[in-house]
Amino acid sequence: MAEFLYRVGRWSARRAKTVVVAWLAILVAAGVAFALGAGTLATTFSIPGTPTAEVTDRLQSDFPDASGGTGTVVVQSADGEKLTTAQQDEIAALVADASSVDGVTAVMDPFVTEADRAAQQQQVDDGRAQVEAGRTQLEAGQAQLDAGRAQLDAGQAQLDAARAQAEAAGMLAQAQPQLDAQQATIDQGLAALETQQTVLDDGASQLEEQSAQLEQGATLLDMASEIRMVSEDGTTAIVMISFADPQMEIPQETKDALVTVFDGAPADLEVNLSADMTMGAPSIIGAGEIVGLLVAAVVLVVMLGTLIGAGLPILTALIGVGIGALGALSLSGVVEMASVTPVLGLMLGLAVGIDYSLFIVNRHRRQLKAGDELHESIALANGTSGNAVVFAGTTVLVALLALNVTGIPFLGLMGTVGAACIAIAVLIAVTLTPALLGLVGARILSKKERARLAGTAGASVAATQEAQGAQEAAPAPAAVRPMSTGWAVVRVVVGIAALLLVALPALDLRLNLPDGSTEPHDSTQYQAYSTLAEKFGEGQNGTLLVVADLPAAEAGSEAESMTAQVEIAQALFDQDDVVAVAPIGTSEDGSVAAFQVVPAEGPTSESTEELVHTLRDMSPIDGTYEIGVAGSASGNVDISEKLASALPVYLAVVVGLSLIILVLVFRSIFVPVIATLGFILSYFAALGGVVAIYQWGWLGGVFGVESPGPILNFLPTILVGILFGLAMDYMLFLGSGMREAYAHGAPARIAVVQGVRAGRSVVTAAAIIMIAVFGGFIFSHSAMIRPIGFALAFGVLVDAFVIRMMVVPALMHLAGDKAWWLPRWLDKILPDVDVEGASLERRHPHAAVGVSETSPEDDLDKDAAGVRG
């Protein structure tokens, strides 16, 4: 690979304009593809096969009208007073305008809805009054019947007495016709009473049936009483919007059209739109990201000494992220892509793109100062440092692609897009960077450096060779001394203890997706969220959807179906942390019923998460009704749990990959183990920092965290892949210098110091650049991007400066020669991975010439040059 990259570098430098034009053409092509193929980015996440996804799919088949997404608009009077009749009419006009937007199926006028509910309540009250009146009439009728029966019973008694007297007097035969006539009259009266009693009983039965239905309706109304569209004080109203498309598939054009409608609200109304209405794709670049680039530019100027040298890595990185981001966005029309995906690619592409180009530029500059010919220096820098860039980039690429093993589609796509951006950054580093170096020529050096180089150009070859021979024969500089063992122990103990302390908050990690509560307090999303919580209860921000199966008997009868719905609703309402339950309806065949459940707290609260599990554990209710739970809050719980279960598997894959790579590179057991354990420690320290700031709210004012909450659910997983790749980069930069010095005969502990000195300047610059680029995203407008930017910036900080440059060298000092022990059988079967391109340097010995102005550290740099990037 080193020889191949050597040739690529030479070819690119000699045909610089061709290479530059080719990459610009690719950038233009990516822009054209973006213009033609870009679609809507998803602002919510889903995972097929989760309980929520299964219920949602069922809704689409059984409740097609209720399967679309929803949005919430919160309207208040600007003066905080009760909404007037005129303002209600203004809201009705907004509702009418919103109803005409393409993709909107229904918009609920809150005052009409409240009027309907009041009418339903009035019907219940009137029905109860009618039932009571009916009962009174029935009681009066029953009293009349009882009185008539009493009279007939008295007449029967008199008749029986008369019959007895006539029989005693022996005159029964003469009195018989009269007695029979009287008996017939009494019998007719009793028959009439029985008929009237039957009618009365039927009326009573119907009345009780109506009363039962009425009470069922009243029970449902009572359970839904906390679901209001207008606040109790009359100052706030909720406009509910239903969409034709599912929540994740609502076109951005539809959302934008609705935003336009409500932005045109009269001045006496204050309108705020919820996050599900306004959460579009985060901006690709903002003020924070620009500041990060400026910091990176300053670091480059300080390190390289020239504006051209500083600008070249930034230019190549920008071209790379332009191609990567536009290319990814061009696929969003045919692939369901989360809005954070292209931003993640941009973040990675900028950071590694700058660093990878820097490594090659820095190596080339040293070689030019050593007297190398321009094209030969570019080629050798590409074959050595470029070889290390390819190797380092491959580790990051593989780690990101491994996200696909989690089985989570949106996360796998993030990893794939990130890997593509890394691949582009590597390709640009080893082709476009040599081309641009060829174009700028000696101007990559400062004027002083060029003048010094010109002053030494007349020296004879013999003198140069003599100087080189003397330099090679010279012993290691006397200043290179191993660290003391006591100091090494202190470094290990302090470094590990500090990171363990920082990692402790990770034990309290809670995962979820951001909602309106995490947005900036001056944003419309936060205002909508907080107003809903204040005026209608926190649970209104994250209602749940429960779907229940009704047995065939209940499905076939309206009365039995109603009874079943009341039983289910009552069982749901009786649960802790449920404040309201409302039936949504039943499917056409009556086999499925749906309910809206309002929890006591918001969608990301622990109580709502527990409620989701509680409701699922209730199935089947009363041993009869199977239920399922859906909704955005439920979906976020499922996604978070799926990601949490996939994280250990992915972490194990990455750790195994780390051990294999490092054993190949360093031909050691001890070095890969401590390097991998160091990565794990820095990973959990980064998570601990994220929890402390974004979940607990520590230093919230510094980082713009106004409302702490759960951590972005895919952050821990994505952090593993990215931080692993970067940690391996830094380990290669420093560790290969140590191994090279040890392989050249330096004592193990001296080699540790030499390796650190050789690589620390480049590692420091590379780490600062990455911290600056990632840190720029900490102040992004998107609540999803901010914690990712912090986690990566903080992770790089602790891994580069604490683990790689403090703890690992101290541990290797303590291990001494044992640090490089490898079983003989393993040493025989391992391939020779020449990451630093040492064999290439041996084939081009003229390129290793040292000059007087280089320091001992620069000379050591040459031994480990290939991995400095």
Side-chain angles (χ1 to χ4, degrees):
M1 177 60 76
E3 185 65 34
F4 171 74
L5 291 173
Y6 173 88
R7 295 175 182 176
V8 169
R10 179 180 286 274
W11 185 90
S12 298
R14 290 180 173 177
R15 293 170 177 79
K17 293 182 179 179
T18 301
V19 175
V20 171
V21 170
W23 278 111
L24 291 178
I26 295 173
L27 178 60
V28 171
V32 172
F34 166 75
L36 297 176
T40 301
L41 295 174
T43 56
T44 55
F45 301 86
S46 67
I47 300 177
T50 61
T52 297
E54 292 173 354
V55 174
T56 302
D57 293 340
R58 186 168 187 185
L59 279 172
Q60 291 179 347
S61 62
D62 294 338
F63 292 89
D65 293 338
S67 63
T70 59
T72 305
V73 180
V74 181
V75 185
Q76 292 180 288
S77 58
D79 57 5
E81 298 296 324
K82 184 176 180 179
L83 290 164
T84 64
T85 302
Q87 289 172 324
Q88 294 178 23
D89 293 338
E90 293 170 349
I91 293 173
L94 291 173
V95 168
D97 292 341
S99 300
S100 63
V101 173
D102 289 340
V104 173
T105 58
V107 182
M108 295 173 58
D109 186 319
F111 296 97
V112 172
T113 302
E114 287 297 320
D116 290 343
R117 189 168 69 157
Q120 291 174 353
Q121 186 62 52
Q122 187 61 49
Q123 288 177 354
V124 169
D125 294 340
D126 292 345
R128 281 173 169 167
Q130 292 173 1
V131 167
E132 288 302 318
R135 283 180 177 148
T136 301
Q137 292 177 355
L138 287 173
E139 290 173 358
Q142 187 65 53
Q144 291 177 356
L145 286 176
D146 292 341
R149 184 174 283 107
Q151 291 178 355
L152 290 174
D153 289 342
Q156 184 67 53
Q158 292 177 356
L159 181 61
D160 291 341
R163 190 184 301 277
Q165 291 176 356
E167 186 176 2
M171 300 179 65
L172 182 60
Q174 293 86 348
Q176 188 67 44
Q178 184 179 1
L179 293 173
D180 289 343
Q182 292 177 357
Q183 185 65 55
T185 300
I186 291 174
D187 290 342
Q188 289 175 357
L190 287 173
L193 286 177
E194 288 302 325
T195 300
Q196 293 175 14
Q197 185 66 57
T198 300
V199 173
L200 199 64
D201 290 343
D202 289 344
S205 177
Q206 293 177 2
L207 188 66
E208 291 307 316
E209 183 178 344
Q210 292 173 1
S211 177
Q213 293 177 351
L214 190 67
E215 291 307 316
Q216 287 177 340
T219 299
L220 292 177
L221 278 175
D222 289 341
M223 287 189 287
S225 61
E226 292 301 317
I227 304 177
R228 298 185 302 272
M229 295 294 104
V230 178
S231 62
E232 290 183 344
D233 60 8
T235 62
T236 309
I238 301 174
V239 178
M240 295 297 299
I241 300 174
S242 299
F243 297 95
D245 298 297
Q247 197 74 43
M248 286 192 64
E249 301 174 14
I250 300 172
Q252 189 63 40
E253 295 79 6
T254 299
K255 294 182 180 181
D256 293 341
L258 287 171
V259 170
T260 300
V261 168
F262 288 100
D263 279 348
D268 60 342
L269 295 177
E270 181 180 338
V271 178
N272 289 294
L273 285 75
S274 62
D276 49 17
M277 291 279 293
T278 57
M279 191 178 291
S283 58
I284 294 296
I285 195 162
E289 292 85 340
I290 293 174
V291 170
L293 279 178
L294 292 176
V295 173
V298 170
V299 174
L300 289 169
V301 169
V302 171
M303 182 176 184
L304 301 177
T306 65
L307 292 177
I308 291 179
L312 194 148
I314 294 177
L315 175 62
T316 56
L318 290 175
I319 293 175
V321 297
I323 295 171
L326 292 174
L329 289 170
S330 69
L331 299 175
S332 60
V334 294
V335 177
E336 188 175 277
M337 183 179 296
S339 59
V340 71
T341 301
V343 181
L344 185 64
L346 170 71
M347 194 185 301
L348 287 174
L350 272 179
V352 302
I354 293 174
D355 277 1
Y356 289 170
S357 181
L358 165 65
F359 304 146
I360 296 174
V361 171
N362 188 53
R363 173 66 185 254
H364 170 59
R365 278 172 41 80
R366 287 202 320 274
Q367 291 171 170
L368 281 183
K369 289 189 291 183
D372 284 8
E373 187 270 333
L374 177 66
H375 289 165
E376 178 65 19
S377 175
I378 295 172
L380 187 61
N382 211 49
T384 53
S385 292
N387 192 50
V389 163
V390 171
F391 189 88
T394 301
T395 61
V396 183
L397 186 146
V398 171
L400 289 173
L401 288 178
L403 284 168
N404 288 279
V405 306
T406 62
I408 301 172
F410 77 83
L411 194 61
L413 183 60
M414 283 185 191
T416 301
V417 169
C421 290
I422 295 295
I424 292 169
V426 170
L427 289 174
I428 282 185
V430 299
T431 57
L432 184 58
T433 299
L436 294 176
L437 288 174
L439 287 176
V440 300
R443 287 175 295 171
I444 197 68
L445 301 177
S446 66
K447 291 183 179 180
K448 291 182 178 180
E449 290 169 335
R450 293 201 299 270
R452 187 182 301 121
L453 186 61
T456 60
S460 66
V461 174
T464 303
Q465 290 176 341
E466 180 181 352
Q468 181 185 0
Q471 186 182 39
E472 291 177 349
V480 180
R481 297 177 182 175
M483 72 180 77
S484 68
T485 300
W487 177 233
V489 171
V490 170
R491 290 173 61 157
V492 171
V493 172
V494 171
I496 293 178
L499 292 188
L500 286 174
L501 183 64
V502 174
L504 281 178
L507 296 174
D508 190 41
L509 175 67
R510 286 187 57 238
L511 301 177
N512 213 300
L513 280 171
D515 55 24
S517 65
T518 61
E519 297 293 334
H521 285 193
D522 59 352
S523 67
T524 184
Q525 300 98 313
Y526 179 82
Q527 293 298 325
Y529 185 98
S530 60
T531 301
L532 282 176
E534 177 186 355
K535 299 292 185 178
F536 301 91
E538 292 183 26
Q540 191 68 42
N541 284 295
T543 58
L544 301 174
L545 188 65
V546 174
V547 175
D549 291 329
L550 302 182
E554 282 81 352
S557 167
E558 182 176 346
E560 291 177 342
S561 175
M562 174 63 76
T563 301
Q565 290 184 60
V566 172
E567 290 178 4
I568 296 169
Q570 189 66 58
L572 299 174
F573 187 71
D574 289 341
Q575 301 306 308
D576 294 338
D577 297 317
V578 172
V579 298
V581 177
I584 296 175
T586 58
S587 59
E588 289 186 4
D589 61 2
S591 63
V592 181
F595 302 85
Q596 181 185 14
V597 177
V598 180
E601 296 186 301
T604 60
S605 67
E606 292 184 67
S607 67
T608 301
E609 182 178 344
E610 292 174 1
L611 178 61
V612 170
H613 294 299
T614 299
L615 295 179
R616 287 175 176 163
D617 292 340
M618 290 172 59
S619 183
I621 294 177
D622 296 335
T624 303
Y625 309 109
E626 296 283 349
I627 66 171
V629 184
S632 60
S634 169
N636 291 346
V637 169
D638 287 343
I639 293 172
S640 299
E641 292 180 350
K642 179 75 172 177
L643 288 164
S645 64
L647 179 58
V649 176
Y650 180 57
L651 186 59
V653 170
V654 168
V655 167
L657 182 65
S658 168
L659 290 171
I660 293 171
I661 290 174
L662 294 179
V663 168
L664 285 173
V665 172
F666 296 119
R667 309 187 78 81
S668 163
I669 299 297
F670 180 78
V671 175
V673 169
I674 64 171
T676 302
L677 291 176
F679 154 69
I680 294 173
L681 187 55
S682 60
Y683 168 74
F684 282 103
L687 277 186
V690 171
V691 170
I693 292 173
Y694 292 92
Q695 183 176 317
W696 292 357
W698 293 4
L699 301 177
V702 176
F703 293 96
V705 182
E706 297 172 305
S707 300
I711 302 305
L712 183 66
N713 51 22
F714 59 84
L715 186 152
T717 308
I718 203 78
L719 180 63
V720 170
I722 298 173
L723 190 58
F724 160 73
L726 302 181
M728 293 307 98
D729 286 357
Y730 299 139
M731 192 64 214
L732 288 171
F733 306 155
L734 295 170
S736 60
M738 300 176 191
R739 173 155 186 85
E740 194 69 15
Y742 181 73
H744 283 84
R749 291 177 173 174
I750 293 292
V752 170
V753 178
Q754 291 178 340
V756 171
R757 288 188 178 184
R760 65 188 176 189
S761 60
V762 177
V763 168
T764 299
I768 292 175
I769 289 171
M770 284 203 174
I771 293 168
V773 173
F774 291 145
F777 290 86
I778 293 175
F779 303 99
S780 168
H781 184 69
S782 171
M784 283 193 290
I785 298 299
R786 292 195 294 266
I788 295 177
F790 174 83
L792 292 175
F794 188 62
V796 168
L797 174 68
V798 299
D799 192 85
F801 293 106
V802 181
I803 294 295
R804 307 302 156 192
M805 299 208 309
M806 178 177 174
V807 175
V808 168
L811 287 172
M812 294 187 67
H813 170 89
L814 295 175
D817 291 331
K818 295 178 181 179
W820 303 107
W821 175 81
L822 185 70
R824 291 185 179 179
W825 64 268
L826 184 58
D827 185 52
K828 292 180 180 179
I829 64 175
L830 286 180
D832 183 15
V833 181
D834 185 17
V835 177
E836 64 275 4
S839 61
L840 180 67
E841 288 190 278
R842 288 193 293 270
R843 290 193 296 272
H844 300 271
H846 60 283
V849 176
V851 292
S852 58
E853 76 264 19
T854 59
S855 67
E857 290 181 24
D858 290 328
D859 294 332
L860 288 170
D861 249 356
K862 291 193 217 73
D863 291 332
V867 279
R868 280 210 208 135

